[in-house]
């Protein structure tokens, strides 16, 4: 499976469920996060132009026209999402992620793995890892979106 710097290739798209437009992409991304038991606020889902998911491999992506910075107020962390975010999603985990960075002190740190701890007893924490193996954990509740009825 190849990824090019200009985006997800045609071969991957041919095997994927692909959606276009902000509303349907937001709905499908939230649905996918719910299925794999990840917090629905983990990825900012506004202004997405395209999203896709290859069920057999777990590969997913979403695209927007611009990068997005989002501050998770409850933990005081600024996170930057590239115009294209990709990764492999599975139950309570995203691995080999691209396009996600977190600001620590004055530098941006690349995030390549996110996972919810489910070892008995569950800690209620989500851990973010860098390519160098450094990690930081936060409460899962910091990444939940409260649905308004």
């Amino acid at each position: 499976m190849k990824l090019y710097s200009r985006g997800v290739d045609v071969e991957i798209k041919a095997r994927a469920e692909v959606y276009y437009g902000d509303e349907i992409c937001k709905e499908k991304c939230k649905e996918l996060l719910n299925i794999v038991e990840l917090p629905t606020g983990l990825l900012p889902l506004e202004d997405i132009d395209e999203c896709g998911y290859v069920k057999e491999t777990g590969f997913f992506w979403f695209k927007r026209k611009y990068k997005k910075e989002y501050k998770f107020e409850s933990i005081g962390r600024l996170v930057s999402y590239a115009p294209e975010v990709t990764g492999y999603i599975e139950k309570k985990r995203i691995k080999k992620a691209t396009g996600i960075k977190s600001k620590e002190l004055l530098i941006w740190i690349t995030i390549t793995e996110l996972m919810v701890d489910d070892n008995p007893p569950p800690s209620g924490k989500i851990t973010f890892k860098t390519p160098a193996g450094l990690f930081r954990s936060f409460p899962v509740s910091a990444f939940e979106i409260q649905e308004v009825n």
Side-chain angles (χ1 to χ4, degrees):
M1 193 176 302
K2 297 180 211 169
L3 290 179
Y4 298 110
S5 61
R6 286 182 281 151
V8 176
D9 76 14
V10 176
E11 193 178 304
I12 292 172
K13 282 188 177 183
R15 298 190 331 234
E17 295 176 27
V18 183
Y19 301 94
Y20 300 93
D22 185 51
E23 284 303 312
I24 188 73
C25 286
K26 187 182 300 185
E27 179 185 318
K28 292 298 180 179
C29 288
K30 280 184 183 178
E31 188 177 294
L32 181 59
L33 289 168
N34 278 322
I35 289 169
V36 297
E37 301 176 34
L38 286 170
T40 54
L42 190 59
L43 304 169
L45 302 175
E46 298 82 31
D47 304 320
I48 296 177
D49 299 319
E50 176 185 311
C51 66
Y53 175 60
V54 180
K55 194 171 188 173
E56 298 81 43
T57 62
F59 181 75
F60 80 97
W61 75 91
F62 65 82
K63 296 180 185 181
R64 57 172 55 98
K65 290 179 179 61
Y66 54 87
K67 82 174 188 175
K68 178 161 183 81
E69 290 184 0
Y70 183 82
K71 185 165 186 178
F72 291 95
E73 295 293 340
S74 63
I75 57 171
R77 290 287 186 263
L78 185 62
V79 180
S80 175
Y81 299 88
E84 181 174 287
V85 172
T86 67
Y88 291 86
I89 197 165
E90 57 189 52
K91 186 174 180 178
K92 297 189 177 194
R93 183 176 182 187
I94 297 175
K95 57 186 178 179
K96 297 182 181 179
T98 66
I100 305 172
K101 294 182 178 185
S102 176
K103 193 161 193 180
E104 295 288 329
L105 298 175
L106 300 174
I107 59 172
W108 288 98
I109 307 291
T110 299
I111 305 295
T112 56
E113 189 169 346
L114 310 87
M115 66 184 140
V116 172
D117 176 28
D118 65 348
N119 294 324
S123 68
K125 300 277 187 179
I126 186 166
T127 300
F128 298 83
K129 290 186 177 180
T130 70
L134 301 172
F135 65 92
R136 187 167 299 242
S137 297
F138 299 99
V140 171
S141 60
F143 303 95
E144 289 290 355
I145 294 176
Q146 301 302 321
E147 297 296 327
V148 179
N149 293 328

